[in-house]
Amino acid sequence: MQIFVNNPDFIVEDMLKGFVAAHPEVMLSPLNERVVTLKEKKEKVGVITGGGSGHEPAFLGYVGEGMLDAVAIGEIFASPPAQAFLDAMIEADNGRGVACLFGNYAGDNMNVKMAIQMAEDIEVKYVVATDDIASSPKETREKRHGIAGGYFMWKVGGAKAASGATLDEVIEVAQKVVERTRSICVGISPCTIPAVGTPNFLINEGTMEFGIGHHGEKGIESKALGTANEIAPEMTEAILTDFDFDENRNLAVMISGLGSTMLMEQYVICGQVLAILKEQGHQVEKVYVGNFVTSLDMGGLSLTIVDLDEEITQLLEADGQATGLKNY
């Protein structure tokens, strides 16, 4: 494995130093060098998230005006400790409470809840993203992981807070968009943790992992690698089946690369997905293509579909200036 690195054991620290040097609107918290926070504080509900490194621009890339106020950063694919979540809550708090919007993973769940218990003088409420349809059956949706669909929770929640909403209103709209979001990933090559230097799982040449997780968790099925025009319908149908719409809908569509997938490939898949949705009578209002939530250097991509309503659409269109927003 050839990468630009100093000591691979300290790649997260070096990344954070470079990130805050490149983006003067943010800084490392004086409370905790694993918390990225806005320099300029606003009188509003604070909005935070956190998670393991290796998914950039998530999570640090979504700190910005109209988005997140602070994030807790863990080691690669590892939850930040409870203290980091607590320090992010302290940084984001302006006396109006803090909304913690994070992905549904065991470590994050445990550490967020511990942090909330420690935050005695701060009102904190939380929402967990559960968009990964491959990680648990529809009957146990509450067990599903949060993947690229978390972007919509952060964007909508951040925009709602920026509008002057109460903590309960921020939580309500974040929960609503979570319930209306579905994602699925396809992996075609594994990722490599820098400190290890070799892939942490195997995808055989000529095969793909349909429904793979963001850390390399096995998917629904290992199968022969198909063409883009074969893969896109399968991903789209899996999500539409899970939604089980009884009428045509207004939708947002996101294609997010997993790390090493070219934009060229992402647009090939996107074109087919949009054609399928149009053919089935759905109206696609917003399209996102790029690297929004990645998995180190994994080859593959995720498809996310959001069932829009008027409020969600308006909040997605609200101003936001985080580095990971890609002008959306």
Side-chain angles (χ1 to χ4, degrees):
M1 179 188 184
Q2 298 189 108
I3 61 172
F4 295 108
V5 66
N6 298 311
N7 183 335
D9 289 330
F10 295 100
I11 192 170
V12 175
E13 285 83 356
D14 288 347
M15 172 188 70
L16 292 174
K17 291 174 185 176
F19 185 80
V20 299
H23 303 293
E25 70 276 15
V26 301
M27 66 179 186
L28 296 181
S29 167
L31 302 174
N32 194 317
E33 62 183 11
R34 286 301 186 89
V35 173
V36 176
T37 182
L38 278 171
K39 287 181 179 177
E40 184 179 349
K41 311 299 183 182
K42 301 287 186 179
E43 293 296 326
K44 65 177 191 65
V45 170
V47 184
I48 72 165
T49 192
S53 298
H55 302 298
E56 292 74 29
F59 300 89
L60 75 178
Y62 298 119
V63 176
E65 187 173 346
M67 196 82 176
L68 302 176
D69 298 288
V71 299
I73 305 297
E75 290 291 342
I76 292 176
F77 293 174
S79 173
Q83 186 64 51
F85 277 112
L86 173 62
D87 291 335
M89 293 169 188
I90 293 170
E91 286 286 2
D93 179 47
N94 284 295
R96 299 186 61 182
V98 173
C100 184
L101 314 178
F102 64 99
N104 191 29
Y105 292 88
D108 295 321
N109 265 301
M110 177 182 69
N111 290 328
V112 166
K113 291 170 184 176
M114 287 176 60
I116 291 173
Q117 291 178 345
M118 296 158 65
E120 297 176 353
D121 299 325
I122 304 173
E123 183 182 12
V124 182
K125 296 186 178 183
Y126 67 88
V127 175
V128 292
T130 54
D131 53 298
D132 181 9
I133 67 171
S135 58
S136 192
K138 190 173 182 178
E139 295 72 27
T140 53
R141 276 189 56 204
E142 71 281 357
K143 296 182 179 180
R144 289 177 173 177
H145 294 156
I147 50 175
Y151 168 91
F152 295 95
M153 175 180 67
W154 303 323
K155 179 66 178 75
V156 165
K160 188 71 172 181
S163 75
T166 66
L167 177 58
D168 285 341
E169 290 169 336
V170 173
I171 291 296
E172 181 180 4
V173 76
Q175 185 63 52
K176 178 170 69 169
V177 78
V178 163
E179 292 170 358
R180 299 168 75 108
T181 303
R182 306 285 191 278
S183 300
I184 194 164
C185 296
V186 171
I188 59 176
S189 65
C191 60
T192 300
I193 295 174
V196 177
T198 55
N200 61 333
F201 60 95
L202 180 65
I203 299 177
N204 292 321
E205 189 73 20
T207 69
M208 63 181 184
E209 194 73 21
F210 188 84
I212 196 168
H214 263 45
H215 306 123
E217 300 95 336
K218 286 191 68 65
I220 298 171
E221 184 179 7
S222 298
K223 57 198 303 182
L225 178 62
T227 66
N229 283 351
E230 293 168 339
I231 296 168
E234 189 171 0
M235 297 178 78
T236 309
E237 184 58 32
I239 290 178
L240 292 179
T241 298
D242 199 86
F243 269 124
D244 193 23
F245 293 133
D246 56 6
E247 60 183 358
N248 297 337
R249 310 295 295 178
N250 293 333
L251 306 173
V253 171
M254 172 185 282
I255 303 291
S256 177
L258 291 182
S260 67
T261 306
M262 297 183 294
L263 272 172
M264 181 184 295
E265 300 169 82
Q266 296 177 36
Y267 278 113
V268 171
I269 293 288
C270 182
Q272 182 70 1
V273 170
L274 297 181
I276 293 167
L277 293 173
K278 180 179 179 180
E279 182 179 335
Q280 295 197 17
H282 301 295
Q283 178 69 38
V284 177
E285 301 287 350
K286 297 187 72 64
V287 180
Y288 304 75
V289 181
N291 290 343
F292 292 88
V293 180
T294 63
S295 183
L296 291 172
D297 60 338
M298 190 188 298
L301 48 76
S302 61
L303 168 63
T304 300
I305 297 178
V306 183
D307 179 19
L308 299 173
D309 67 6
E310 184 176 350
E311 181 184 29
I312 292 172
T313 302
Q314 289 176 349
L315 292 169
L316 290 176
E317 293 173 349
D319 290 339
Q321 298 181 25
T323 61
L325 281 174
K326 308 282 189 183
N327 298 318
Y328 290 105

